[in-house]
Structure formats: structure tokens, C-alpha cells
Amino acid sequence: MTESTGGGGTDATNGTTGTDARRCRVVLVDDHRMFRTGVQAEIGETARTGVEVVGEAADVDQAVTVITATRPEVVLLDVHLPGGGGVEVLRRSAALMAATERPVRFLALSVSDAAEDVIGVIRGGARGYVTKTITGTDLVDAIFRVSEGDAVFSPRLAGFVLDAFASTDAPPVDEDLDRLTQREREVLRLIARGYAYKEIAKQLFISVKTVESHVSAVLRKLQLSNRHELTRWATARRLV
């Protein structure tokens, strides 16, 4: 994430001094500690940005616990998380998003710009989706816009999202794919690309045994018999 600039004690989002600035309480959800530290450094200087980071989480269970306890205005949510991914966090936070008073709003912040990732979290209730190339200043602006109920997308994704959800030929909901967790989709995609279990384990920072468990779950949920059928299934849906 590119370093943002600011000076003279002026709020980067609205040009007011720190004492008059808007405030937004935020939770960071990302499984990479160094990335969370970098985001905190970029946006967490409350007197300058107006953003107060009130909690962090590295997986789905931690995220749900921290979000429930702190009730932030905005959650910065990574798409790929241990325990089921960002979609699972959204599913388990549905009541908080639907609250009449002080609803919790989600802004996806991910390295991925894959169509299924974007559609998945937006369908799950996220108010926006930006990639990790965003600058600190633009991220602060996006946080406040989402806190106010706006939808925010990285420029390259905005047109795609509009096409996917507004056009008459928008892709239908794939109920089979929706049965899979985010991690299971990641494993599915790598299996379909021909990766061995050891290679998948290394790429996803999980054990070979965990990969085997995910593959078994995918085969069971999709009612497939082996990885060859799985590859054909994924290729037919253009997931490879």
C-alpha cells in the first residue's frame, strides 16, 4: 500500500483539524500480521485521519469475536482467511450488519481481484471492495464513505460489479459453488490447475493433511469421485 501524505494536523478526509474531525472506529481482519501493522501505520493516527483502530483479527473465529465485542462502524475484511474466508465472517455477522442502530459495515480489502471473490463478498453483504494497491489517503476516504452507507470499489472493479449485478445477463447464483468455503474454493482452484497436495500446502501455508481434508470436503459437497472429475467441474465454470 502506497504511503499517504498529510500535514499541518489537517484531517485527510475532510480538511478539518483533528479536534473537529469525524471519527470512525475500525477493525482490521487479515491473516498477515505485517500487513495489519502496515495498515495501522497508514490509517491509525486518529488525530490526523479520524480513524481509530479498535481491534484486529487473523482468522474467522477471532474476527467474529472482536467485531461482536467492539461493534465498529467499519470492518476492513480480507477475502482469504483461515476458517472459511471473508464470506464466512459476513455470514456470521449478518445480525450486526442488519442492526437498526449502529450497523457494522464491511469493506473488503484484498490482494485478489478475481470475479468470484468480488461477487462472493458483495453478495455476502460487504459495502465495497478495494485492492491492497490503494493508497492510505484513499483507504481513509473509502472507510468514511462506507461508514456513511456508500458503496465503494476500486476503479477497475466498479464497472465489473455494475455489469455483474445490474445487467440482464448477469451470471446466475451457483448453488454448488456457494456450498464451498473460501478456503475450499482456493484448494479447488489449485487442484484444477494441476498442483500437487504438497505444492498447495506450501502456497496456502497449511499442512498436507489439511489440504487432503479440504479436497475430501469439496468432493463430498459437489458429489464428485476424484480430482479428475473435480478438474472438469472447475473448468466448466471457468474457475481455473
Side-chain angles (χ1 to χ4, degrees):
M1 192 160 58
T2 306
E3 184 177 358
S4 61
T5 59
T10 300
D11 190 309
T13 63
N14 62 6
T16 61
T17 61
T19 56
D20 298 326
R22 296 173 297 174
R23 290 288 185 266
C24 185
R25 301 168 67 255
V26 170
V27 164
L28 304 178
V29 180
D30 193 288
D31 60 342
H32 292 95
R33 182 179 59 81
M34 290 184 65
F35 180 76
R36 296 199 309 272
T37 300
V39 173
Q40 170 80 276
E42 288 277 359
I43 71 173
E45 189 181 335
T46 307
R48 176 177 61 84
T49 65
V51 174
E52 179 186 3
V53 178
V54 296
E56 298 183 15
D59 59 35
V60 170
D61 287 340
Q62 287 180 13
V64 174
T65 299
V66 172
I67 293 165
T68 302
T70 60
R71 293 292 295 267
E73 280 81 29
V74 175
V75 177
L76 290 181
L77 180 67
D78 191 15
V79 174
H80 300 151
L81 292 169
V87 171
E88 180 65 11
V89 176
L90 290 163
R91 186 186 70 79
R92 291 169 60 178
S93 302
L96 296 176
M97 288 188 285
T100 306
E101 296 183 6
R102 295 178 57 210
V104 177
R105 296 187 169 102
F106 287 78
L107 173 61
L109 175 62
S110 176
V111 69
S112 171
D113 59 1
E116 62 268 25
D117 287 339
V118 179
I119 291 177
V121 295
I122 299 305
R123 185 188 296 156
R127 294 293 303 174
Y129 195 115
V130 295
T131 60
K132 290 181 177 179
T133 57
I134 192 171
T135 66
T137 300
D138 287 344
L139 181 57
V140 169
D141 179 65
I143 289 169
F144 276 102
R145 289 173 60 192
V146 166
S147 74
E148 294 162 359
D150 289 346
V152 179
F153 298 94
S154 290
R156 202 167 74 81
L157 303 179
F160 161 73
V161 172
L162 288 173
D163 289 344
F165 286 91
S167 67
T168 55
D169 59 348
V173 173
D174 191 324
E175 294 182 357
D176 290 332
L177 188 60
D178 280 351
R179 292 192 184 100
L180 306 183
T181 66
Q182 185 62 47
R183 182 63 89 187
E184 288 168 353
R185 295 185 195 191
E186 293 171 350
V187 172
L188 163 65
R189 191 178 297 111
L190 293 173
I191 284 288
R193 291 175 179 172
Y195 284 74
Y197 285 4
K198 288 184 178 180
E199 294 173 320
I200 296 173
K202 183 177 180 180
Q203 184 157 335
L204 298 181
F205 302 101
I206 57 179
S207 69
V208 173
K209 187 174 182 179
T210 300
V211 174
E212 293 173 349
S213 297
H214 285 314
V215 172
S216 296
V218 170
L219 292 174
R220 183 182 68 256
K221 290 179 180 180
L222 300 181
Q223 298 183 356
L224 301 174
S225 301
N226 53 56
R227 65 181 296 164
H228 300 295
E229 291 183 2
L230 187 153
T231 299
R232 288 198 297 270
W233 188 93
T235 301
R237 286 162 175 77
R238 299 180 180 178
L239 301 177
V240 182

